[in-house]
Amino acid sequence: MATLTPHLVHGALAGAAGTTALNATTYLDMIARGRPSSSTPHDTVKRIAELIGVSSAGDEAKREARLSGMGALLGVAVGVGTGAVLGVAQAGKWTRSPRATLSAWVLATLAGNAPMIGLRVTDPRRWRALDWAADVVPHAAYAVVVSLALERLDDRSHRKT
């Protein structure tokens, strides 16, 4: 198990870089199209809180602000965690190829969307083309950055000094 630790750490670092790329791509889309931020992270946390019977303290405005913050942190956790999984997959001879980047994109898209779909926060069958683009493009940016970061970190860890 100890041999997986560097891959887990490299994956988490790559996931953090990928999450930054995903967020930057999303914010650029918001700027370009003048669209508001998505409420789905907030709504997901709110739905989870309802299901487990937890309420955050404070008046309505503070509760909403806390849910918004928790939604953003949940997204970061999913991105870093997905990167960690991909880093461990790399230890299992995950290849450096377009297939690896595609695998990263699929995993990131599923990790980001499956909980929201399962909780009925969103329904991709009702998404318009622009909604799909707003989801596909940032997850693709995540996948490319994670794949490149994992490759670079792997190269550095195997370099002899």
Side-chain angles (χ1 to χ4, degrees), residues 21-22 25-26 105 132-143:
L22 182 147
T25 304
T26 298
W105 175 76
W132 277 100
D135 189 74
V136 169
V137 173
H139 283 102
Y142 173 93

Side-chain angles (χ1 to χ4, degrees), residues 7 18 21 23 25-26 36 97 101 113 146 150 161:
H7 294 285
N23 287 338
T25 304
T26 298
S97 68
T101 303
N113 291 329
V146 166
L150 282 171
T161 54

Side-chain angles (χ1 to χ4, degrees), residues 104-121:
W105 175 76
V106 168
L107 184 58
T109 300
L110 288 173
N113 291 329
M116 293 185 285
I117 294 165
L119 292 168
R120 295 193 173 109
V121 170

Side-chain angles (χ1 to χ4, degrees), residues 12-106:
L13 291 170
T19 300
T20 300
L22 182 147
N23 287 338
T25 304
T26 298
Y27 299 143
L28 286 170
D29 176 51
M30 291 167 60
I31 292 166
R33 293 195 293 143
R35 71 169 180 87
S37 62
S38 172
S39 67
T40 55
H42 166 279
D43 297 344
T44 300
V45 171
K46 187 174 185 175
R47 181 74 180 121
I48 292 168
E50 290 168 356
L51 287 172
I52 62 175
V54 174
S55 177
S56 95
D59 61 26
E60 185 65 22
K62 286 186 180 182
R63 282 194 302 275
E64 290 299 310
R66 287 186 174 103
L67 290 170
S68 184
M70 285 187 270
L73 283 175
L74 179 60
V76 170
V78 168
V80 172
T82 299
V85 168
L86 291 166
V88 171
Q90 183 182 46
K93 308 296 184 211
W94 188 54
T95 59
R96 297 179 189 181
S97 68
R99 190 174 67 223
T101 303
L102 179 62
S103 298
W105 175 76
V106 168

